[in-house]
Amino acid sequence: MRGQFGEHFKLSIFGESHGPAIGMVIDGIPAGTVIDEEAIARDMARRAPGNDPTATTRKEADRVKIVSGLFEGRATGTPLCGMIENTNTRSGDYAQLRTRMRPGHADYAGFIKYGGYNDPRGGGHFSARLTAPLVFAGSIARQILAAKGIEIAAHIAAIGDVADTPFDPVNVDAAALRALRERRFTLIDPAKEAPMRACVDEARMAMDSVGGMVECAAVGVPAGVGSPFFGSVESVVSSLLFSIPAVKAVEFGDGMALPRMRGSQSNDAMAFEDGRVRTLTNHNGGVTGGITNGMPVILRAALKPTPSIAREQRTVNLETGEDTTLSITGRHDPCVVPRAVVVVESALAIALCDLMMDDRAARL
Amino acid sequence: MRGQFGEHFKLSIFGESHGPAIGMVIDGIPAGTVIDEEAIARDMARRAPGNDPTATTRKEADRVKIVSGLFEGRATGTPLCGMIENTNTRSGDYAQLRTRMRPGHADYAGFIKYGGYNDPRGGGHFSARLTAPLVFAGSIARQILAAKGIEIAAHIAAIGDVADTPFDPVNVDAAALRALRERRFTLIDPAKEAPMRACVDEARMAMDSVGGMVECAAVGVPAGVGSPFFGSVESVVSSLLFSIPAVKAVEFGDGMALPRMRGSQSNDAMAFEDGRVRTLTNHNGGVTGGITNGMPVILRAALKPTPSIAREQRTVNLETGEDTTLSITGRHDPCVVPRAVVVVESALAIALCDLMMDDRAARL
Amino acid sequence: MRGQFGEHFKLSIFGESHGPAIGMVIDGIPAGTVIDEEAIARDMARRAPGNDPTATTRKEADRVKIVSGLFEGRATGTPLCGMIENTNTRSGDYAQLRTRMRPGHADYAGFIKYGGYNDPRGGGHFSARLTAPLVFAGSIARQILAAKGIEIAAHIAAIGDVADTPFDPVNVDAAALRALRERRFTLIDPAKEAPMRACVDEARMAMDSVGGMVECAAVGVPAGVGSPFFGSVESVVSSLLFSIPAVKAVEFGDGMALPRMRGSQSNDAMAFEDGRVRTLTNHNGGVTGGITNGMPVILRAALKPTPSIAREQRTVNLETGEDTTLSITGRHDPCVVPRAVVVVESALAIALCDLMMDDRAARL
Amino acid sequence: MRGQFGEHFKLSIFGESHGPAIGMVIDGIPAGTVIDEEAIARDMARRAPGNDPTATTRKEADRVKIVSGLFEGRATGTPLCGMIENTNTRSGDYAQLRTRMRPGHADYAGFIKYGGYNDPRGGGHFSARLTAPLVFAGSIARQILAAKGIEIAAHIAAIGDVADTPFDPVNVDAAALRALRERRFTLIDPAKEAPMRACVDEARMAMDSVGGMVECAAVGVPAGVGSPFFGSVESVVSSLLFSIPAVKAVEFGDGMALPRMRGSQSNDAMAFEDGRVRTLTNHNGGVTGGITNGMPVILRAALKPTPSIAREQRTVNLETGEDTTLSITGRHDPCVVPRAVVVVESALAIALCDLMMDDRAARL
């Protein structure tokens, strides 16, 4: 019922983890936009499983086949559909899960919502695999934005108790973001890779999983993007971020630290710099009154630990109506955070693209 | 451009702080819904300024005049428009602010977005006064939900460093929520009122302001509300919460604490209780996979300190193109958190109402 | 449930015929648009009753009070709300109609839809009076379009059997359209006024009513407006035209005559003319493949006779569950066609405005 | 930009005539709906070319592959994507058409809209082949409606000057509609087949094409479906009908004949019949005030002659900037009307499905 997103850059998502394919229809790509399929493949690879010990061993090429909206390398201006085939599905692993609800998963909520008719194989439409089409759409949004001088990158801000150095919210620049996106285990401070991997390994050894945080920045976003109230940058971006299965908290600028601050601390003083208006600090994360102010947009998304764990858990059996226990076998990420980096970037890119089109429409 | 919200319970907001009136058109109220105008007045009073020393001294009755969609005390089923007249406007206070941008406010971002044509008086359409129509719509949403056994209430979770006792996310019940809503300075632990007021007074004395946190709970929400992906409960609720001018962070369940947890801690074990499926803990805030699971929905919204402070601040003068300073005079809340309680409740009520209608539509 | 229209130029209508006021919230007006309130008043007067013997004798000033979105004569870019007070309501006339359903009216359909809760006074939200806010929005749309060289005008194409001269679909020009809009009883051939009035008088004498046709043209519309499929010019324009209570048929170009034509007749041959592509004929009404081709946009809307007639009619009494008869008293137009001219223009103006914004959005 | 349709039963169309595939994503199908793929195949076959001498000789199986949203024969409740591969594309035929604009086609309008970037092969996204996904979605909508006792069928009301017997707008019933849908050349009066075929043959012999009319009826639609104003049944249905490439006029009930009628003729007198409210005539086509009244819904759509004709036509060459001539070769329907019957039915089914869900949503 809510499988669509966007007012101008319109997405329509479809697919289940173990069905024939998943995909996205994107309507509203400016005609003539050069679509760099190699860049898409690189973004898809950043999300794909199997390339890193923190991730599931399920390997999928996750190659996007564009079946419409592309002609001679450019967007036609009509809907562009990208499909990703599901080639490596072992549904047998999930057979028992139709009746025994996995804690922390959508199993029970989804069972009630769809009256038991949803596809349970591999989590069906609830699978985190559905973030693949989001990355596909995000990669195209990013290409559109890059042509306007906007760069977006994210990093692993934390896994468990190990935190990366945060972005400098005032001085982060496009070159730094481009460099960051080249890194496989995406950190500002590479020295944090070893302790983070250790944290994940510890969880895996304990048949457990661990959560984390992704921080994302966009630079080059012009002032004036977003709307007061329902169309605030925070509203639109957060609605996409919270679409990502594991995200349970989102903050902009100093976010959760702001309640403890005074106005004299959280207000960002303004000054001219080379003829442009800038703020001297960026506690507001580049957004005031729901609208960008020309400073870097800074946000963080908190991801809960993967709910699929091998450890035994108490749960219910809907068939028997009795309490039971469950140990989840199969291939699961002990930590989804490294793969979520590009997903968070994609959400921000899509939202900014959609919001920037607002202002075009309103300048008839 | 984004003055509308909702797919079924559809809102259209309008108005500026110092114009003749502000208001909301609501389309999609079930025909025959009894509209309790007294209850609306009570909710409006909870948000209205002038009733509490933490708030601005600008007094406005904030009486909603329903000009359509109501006949003989019931919703007609056609669009209901509620108007709130602006009776106490002293625009003179704001004259100088057309050129000198207030830090932390939408002044500069809005100037760029609207090319200088937006109404600057009292913040215009960016004014926090626009949360009044949201409370109006929220009050109606709440009445619709109450008839289905759903109760919603929020409290001041924190002001500055002073924190209230949080909700018990498993056992919070409707009676407790109804009682909470009767309190003027809305706290679970009334002993926190004095230190919180002291915190606000200190800020005021220092010609400063202070931020805070609002925590909100909904009980009685059936399992199965919300959608995977774009229509997750968190997506829709957060998009409304971030419409509230001061909100900069939103978390569901354990939110920002989840990154540091293990899956074995954050997963909520499930069990039958009197024939109903319940979770033994509620780290997920009543939402898994974007869909309610029948447990209390729990969220927190972080509000930044009021940006309007009397203290001198550095800023820019757009007319002269020079740096300058600014001291904001006029009537301003040193802390908006107490008044924001009912606004946060309203956002949750509206979002739940809209999401619950999804499932009706899909059960043709 | 469907009280909103538009993707960029977004309307939200409200009000009932005998409530305090009716109105429209318009979101998406480009900031800085000069709003000519005199021009709005002139358009409102063209629709207003009481100025012509073909119309009802109910006189209403129909002055629009703009309560938001306007500052110093220009659109602010935030939602603009226009209200029209209902000053001349004699609800007593309608008291009996709550149970005796008027044939040809929405009474019965609306009773079922809203379970009897809709406002029955004066037709409530179903009243043709609700076309007044549409004219208001249309007048603003027209002003936006006029600034881009687009002119729109309509005329009474027919009343009963009396037809006006149709537009020359190839050569109609802006000057002719502007002149047409100055006429009170809007005809291309003024000689048709007398027989048309005679036709209406005859119907009135017979305690009856009569239908008619409105033809509308837009010139200066650039090629490339509209979308294939769901967003065709015909789709969007017709959805607004069919919102007008009496409209039961809509045709573009040669419309209903096309089924009898051969492709060699209906295809419009193309040629360069002063460096611009033109068609030599205009059987397609300026739209091919759902998109404008730069030729005048030509359409016709058929209006059924006013259903309110003094003559006795057979109908049902929902209270008693018995068949009965009904003679409708009160002030009613024997023919709504002259007043509908500006309403049809408004529908076309709004639709074109919304569609033209599409292309802006897509040229980020 | 407008590749999506619907508020509850939401469609997202994609594809080009000569690309790898075309398709539709449908969001909002009630979970658990049994999807009869055989019935879909039958509906697709009714639209498919190559089965009848009136149609193009291009043969395509038009088999829909459902790639998501279906599990064990039932809709899962999550987005359902149907793909139709393009297997028989001879793009060579169209190479010259990139510069020479075909009269009556979208070539020129589309070139301007998309800046020349749209896919020109076979008409690209403008191809009438895109009605195939509409039939797919319509077939599912029809299955949903059939389960609620609603039957929809259409017939060839006219080809050129040859007219079929119209529906009896009061007494048409479900059995008659079901029988009608079994007919390959869909006529109420089979005696009209020979003269209609002769009319098409004549046009083909003359290297020309011919237009026609489709009439459609829905029975069993309950009273109360649709909304006043923007969501009138006529608004929503017409917006879909005008999405069909050749449709240039749409009428409901007596439509274009109403302007010449008196209110005493066009009003449908009401009476109780077996305890139900019925009208004695049906000049309003089952819709009053934009809402169904329980009588059969009756509409007609006028289709222009196929613009692709072998006869030489005057046109422009955009590359050289000169006038030129064009003879269109390749496989083209001399008359699309027989294949359009199921497309018109589909548009009505989809619109009714979407509108009926409105009322569910509003009965929370």
mmCIF file of all heavy atoms in Angstrom, chain A residues 37 62 97 218 310:
data_model
loop_
_atom_site.group_PDB
_atom_site.id
_atom_site.type_symbol
_atom_site.label_atom_id
_atom_site.label_comp_id
_atom_site.label_asym_id
_atom_site.label_seq_id
_atom_site.Cartn_x
_atom_site.Cartn_y
_atom_site.Cartn_z
ATOM 1 N N GLU A 37 26.285 2.956 -16.031
ATOM 2 C CA GLU A 37 25.971 1.640 -15.472
ATOM 3 C C GLU A 37 27.134 1.064 -14.670
ATOM 4 O O GLU A 37 26.927 0.250 -13.775
ATOM 5 C CB GLU A 37 25.507 0.676 -16.576
ATOM 6 C CG GLU A 37 24.190 1.157 -17.206
ATOM 7 C CD GLU A 37 23.483 0.091 -18.037
ATOM 8 O OE1 GLU A 37 23.041 -0.922 -17.455
ATOM 9 O OE2 GLU A 37 23.367 0.280 -19.263
ATOM 10 N N ASP A 62 24.079 -9.304 -7.905
ATOM 11 C CA ASP A 62 23.277 -8.091 -7.798
ATOM 12 C C ASP A 62 23.504 -7.162 -8.981
ATOM 13 O O ASP A 62 23.646 -5.953 -8.828
ATOM 14 C CB ASP A 62 23.571 -7.345 -6.490
ATOM 15 C CG ASP A 62 22.793 -7.947 -5.334
ATOM 16 O OD1 ASP A 62 22.008 -8.884 -5.567
ATOM 17 O OD2 ASP A 62 22.971 -7.481 -4.201
ATOM 18 N N LEU A 97 10.030 -21.403 9.451
ATOM 19 C CA LEU A 97 9.743 -20.080 10.015
ATOM 20 C C LEU A 97 8.337 -19.579 9.716
ATOM 21 O O LEU A 97 7.959 -18.492 10.121
ATOM 22 C CB LEU A 97 10.773 -19.066 9.512
ATOM 23 C CG LEU A 97 12.215 -19.372 9.949
ATOM 24 C CD1 LEU A 97 13.164 -18.350 9.346
ATOM 25 C CD2 LEU A 97 12.315 -19.371 11.470
ATOM 26 N N ALA A 218 26.331 15.403 2.879
ATOM 27 C CA ALA A 218 26.169 15.870 1.500
ATOM 28 C C ALA A 218 26.744 17.267 1.440
ATOM 29 O O ALA A 218 26.386 18.129 2.258
ATOM 30 C CB ALA A 218 24.695 15.878 1.099
ATOM 31 N N ALA A 310 21.984 -17.026 15.904
ATOM 32 C CA ALA A 310 21.992 -18.480 16.074
ATOM 33 C C ALA A 310 21.601 -18.894 17.492
ATOM 34 O O ALA A 310 21.107 -19.999 17.719
ATOM 35 C CB ALA A 310 23.382 -19.030 15.742
#
